Amino acid sequence: YEGNGSAGHAVTHNLGVAPEMIWVKNRDGTNEWVVYSSNLGQGIFRVNTNEAFYAHTAYWNNVTPSSSTFTLGSTGFNNTSSNSYIAYLWASAAGISKVGTYTGTGSDVNVDCGFSAGARFVLIKRSDSSGDWYVWDSARGIVAGNDPYLRLNSSSEEVTNTDYIDPLSSGFTVPGSISPELNASGGTYLFYAIA
């Protein structure tokens, strides 16, 4: 889409349902990817940082996305006049994908995504405090034991010597007593999973 710099700019989409997560990148500028999450309310994450969710109505004009449009504020991150943007939209599809949040407990957290054979891709980002953008997939391994992962906000190589995620037939398990970026007691975590 093309930005117009005006609050209230509605962008049409063909997802068919209201998006639960939107990623936007200014293709004409150096601004980073910004992320909307319906589970967290109005505000943004920035993918190139480990910052916590920033709650603010300016980015999405305090309008909840619909099944056909999402609305922009007047910020340069997602609506600079005459700039070209790319947007990716996600929503949960029963048995296929799940966008959601979980609350950390410090003990094992079973995240039920409604899948029948576990998650093959998992993205997790802490929202209430700083934390990296962790990504696992079944090609590298989501097993009981060490699971290789990447961090979207880092140029570091794949990490292979940690057990930060375990398989669960209906989704995935986040083990207890691991990094607070993934399972601090009372912490809030955004996730996206694919069956």
Side-chain angles (χ1 to χ4, degrees):
Y1 67 89
E2 184 171 300
N4 69 9
S6 298
H9 178 33
V11 177
T12 59
H13 67 81
N14 61 0
L15 190 61
V17 296
E20 295 171 74
M21 187 165 59
I22 303 171
W23 291 35
V24 171
K25 172 73 170 85
N26 183 338
R27 296 176 63 214
D28 292 325
T30 58
N31 289 345
E32 56 274 331
W33 290 88
V34 293
V35 178
Y36 163 85
S37 167
S38 65
N39 294 287
L40 300 172
Q42 293 286 317
I44 63 163
F45 283 113
R46 293 185 302 159
V47 178
N48 64 310
T49 75
N50 69 350
E51 296 171 345
F53 181 74
Y54 177 65
H56 201 291
T57 58
Y59 297 95
W60 312 102
N61 207 44
N62 203 25
V63 176
T64 301
S66 74
S67 61
S68 59
T69 63
F70 61 94
T71 305
L72 306 171
S74 58
T75 72
F77 284 116
N78 60 2
N79 193 15
T80 297
S81 182
S82 300
N83 279 203
S84 175
Y85 291 84
I86 189 166
Y88 293 99
L89 289 71
W90 288 275
S92 298
I96 298 170
S97 64
K98 179 70 175 172
V99 179
T101 58
Y102 67 86
T103 301
T105 63
S107 299
D108 289 4
V109 175
N110 291 330
V111 181
D112 184 352
C113 300
F115 301 159
S116 59
R120 295 186 306 163
F121 174 92
V122 178
L123 167 84
I124 299 175
K125 169 70 174 97
R126 185 165 186 180
S127 64
D128 64 319
S129 185
S130 62
D132 291 323
W133 292 83
Y134 290 86
V135 175
W136 294 267
D137 62 70
S138 59
R140 279 189 287 263
I142 297 177
V143 297
N146 291 346
D147 311 283
Y149 66 84
L150 297 170
R151 290 171 293 171
L152 297 182
N153 59 298
S154 171
S155 60
S156 297
E157 61 202 29
E158 175 183 76
V159 177
T160 60
N161 61 350
T162 60
D163 184 20
Y164 285 175
I165 193 169
D166 286 326
L168 178 70
S169 61
S170 63
F172 60 95
T173 297
V174 181
S177 302
I178 61 168
S179 169
E181 291 187 359
L182 297 167
N183 192 1
S185 182
T188 303
Y189 301 86
L190 174 71
F191 73 87
Y192 175 61
I194 301 173

